[in-house]
Amino acid sequence: MNAFYGLFIVCALALAALVGVGGGGMTGLFAVAIPYAAVAIFVVGFALKVMCWAKSPVPFRIPTTGGQQKSLDWIPYARYDNPVNSRDTVVRMILEVLTFRSLFRNTTAVLGKTPDGKPQVGYFSEKWLWLAAILFHYSFLLIVIRHMRFFTEPVPLPIQWLDWADSILQIYSPTLYQTNLLFLAGLGWLLARRLLYPQIRYISNAADYFALFLIIGIALSGIYMRYVAKVDIVSIKQFTMSLVMFSPVVPKEIAPSFFVHLFLVCVLLAYFPFSKLMHLGGVFLSPTRNLPNDSRIHHHENPWNPKIKPHSYEAYEDDFREAMVEAGLPVVKQLEEEA
Ligand code: HEM
């Protein structure tokens, strides 16, 4: 049911753009007002979220560690899985962001049987999620970088090289981008695992499916435009450049499918700062990732601790010894000793 809700909302959004531009004459809204609003929401929302996280106090070291901690000099320790200084923590963070190392350690729980037939839980390495995540994220990145050709004139050389490399197989006309296939393959697996595995289906809510269907919708509408509808790229570039120059002009030759693509991208941008997709910014601020595990090397005092004047038991007894003896309570130091 949750998958259905996600799919339904994305289809309704796509239809809204199609009807709004095709029949409703709301081109100005979908082509100009919504894109500017979406970018503003994304930039302001992203910045506010990051600033809010950056302001959250983190009094203690709480890194998640995945290897031997540093202790005695002659015991080797896991430098990047259990870093103790800023340099190694930065290296660990870079490796995490670029290669998803923590996801590479992902395991799956399988209910099996012992030799004598009793039920037993076993844990196995599960690399498919990591592979799908890598395919999806890197393809997304390359597609977005390639799209910069719509927003720049002249198109910078690195973007032209990327375009050339991504279509190097020279299949089909217009040439097929490898990232399009890899993007769909990654997204397909991310969706399939939520639908196929009962445990993952159980913990998946409508927002999980919505994000996936929204990105799949963006990919499919883009692929449709390029390989099926073969939209008028010159008019589209004229339009995107006019948006960038803050003097929007919407050529009539632009097919409605472009506005479906653009509207879904706008929804993604506006939704991004309020969704789980904010892990893009959050990973850099996560104290489980960005702190060295140096609690055994440095004393970290909680800055929120109230300033308490310590009152030891000895001092307490000195203050109340007479009353304690009178009440029959045991004391460490007797009254005579004190005298
Ligand atoms: C989240 C951001 C976006 C994603 C993931 C995305 C994804 C895609 C994909 C997968 C394609 C298929 C062909 C290709 O890979 O180039 C495509 C095509 C296209 N996209 Fe996007 N897109 C995004 C944003 C935009 C934006 C902001 C615009 C313009 C304002 C745009 C305009 C187009 C156009 C015109 C095509 C057809 C390209 C061609 O025929 O060569 N896209 N998009």
Side-chain angles (χ1 to χ4, degrees), residues 182-197:
L182 300 176
F183 194 45
L184 285 183
L187 276 168
W189 177 245
L190 295 180
L191 177 64
R193 63 185 276 278
R194 285 196 186 274
L195 294 171
L196 296 178
Y197 292 117

Side-chain angles (χ1 to χ4, degrees), residues 12 16 62 68 97 114-115 137 167-168 193 202 224 239 241 272 286:
I62 53 165
Q68 175 66 45
V97 170
T114 58
H137 284 88
S167 52
I168 201 163
R193 63 185 276 278
Y202 184 70
Y224 172 81
F239 163 68
M241 288 309 293
F272 202 98
S286 169

Side-chain angles (χ1 to χ4, degrees), residues 124-282:
F124 298 91
S125 165
E126 223 286 306
K127 299 282 183 257
W128 290 111
L129 177 60
W130 173 83
L131 184 66
I134 285 278
L135 286 183
F136 161 67
H137 284 88
Y138 273 101
S139 307
F140 198 134
L141 178 69
L142 294 179
I143 290 171
V144 169
I145 297 175
R146 261 200 300 97
H147 269 60
M148 289 306 126
R149 74 187 191 280
F150 298 128
F151 301 95
T152 46
E153 188 57 51
V155 179
L157 268 184
I159 295 175
Q160 296 184 30
W161 293 334
L162 178 61
D163 210 275
W164 170 81
D166 197 357
S167 52
I168 201 163
L169 295 180
Q170 303 273 314
I171 304 170
Y172 199 65
S173 172
T175 44
L176 178 81
Y177 290 125
Q178 287 95 253
T179 46
N180 286 179
L181 297 181
L182 300 176
F183 194 45
L184 285 183
L187 276 168
W189 177 245
L190 295 180
L191 177 64
R193 63 185 276 278
R194 285 196 186 274
L195 294 171
L196 296 178
Y197 292 117
Q199 301 95 318
I200 302 174
R201 199 166 55 229
Y202 184 70
I203 58 164
S204 298
N205 55 31
D208 295 318
Y209 290 109
F210 174 68
L212 279 171
F213 281 124
L214 184 60
I215 299 172
I216 291 174
I218 293 172
L220 291 182
S221 54
I223 287 171
Y224 172 81
M225 272 195 292
R226 180 172 168 85
Y227 305 107
V228 184
K230 304 198 174 162
V231 287
D232 183 350
I233 288 295
V234 177
S235 311
I236 290 176
K237 174 126 187 190
Q238 212 179 326
F239 163 68
T240 48
M241 288 309 293
S242 76
L243 274 187
V244 174
M245 308 304 275
F246 293 106
S247 55
V249 180
V250 191
K252 288 200 179 48
E253 296 77 25
I254 299 182
S257 55
F258 170 74
F259 295 105
V260 172
H261 187 64
L262 181 62
F263 183 55
L264 294 182
V265 172
C266 292
V267 172
L268 180 68
L269 285 177
Y271 173 67
F272 202 98
F274 314 100
S275 70
K276 65 175 197 167
L277 305 174
M278 262 310 285
H279 66 268
L280 169 69

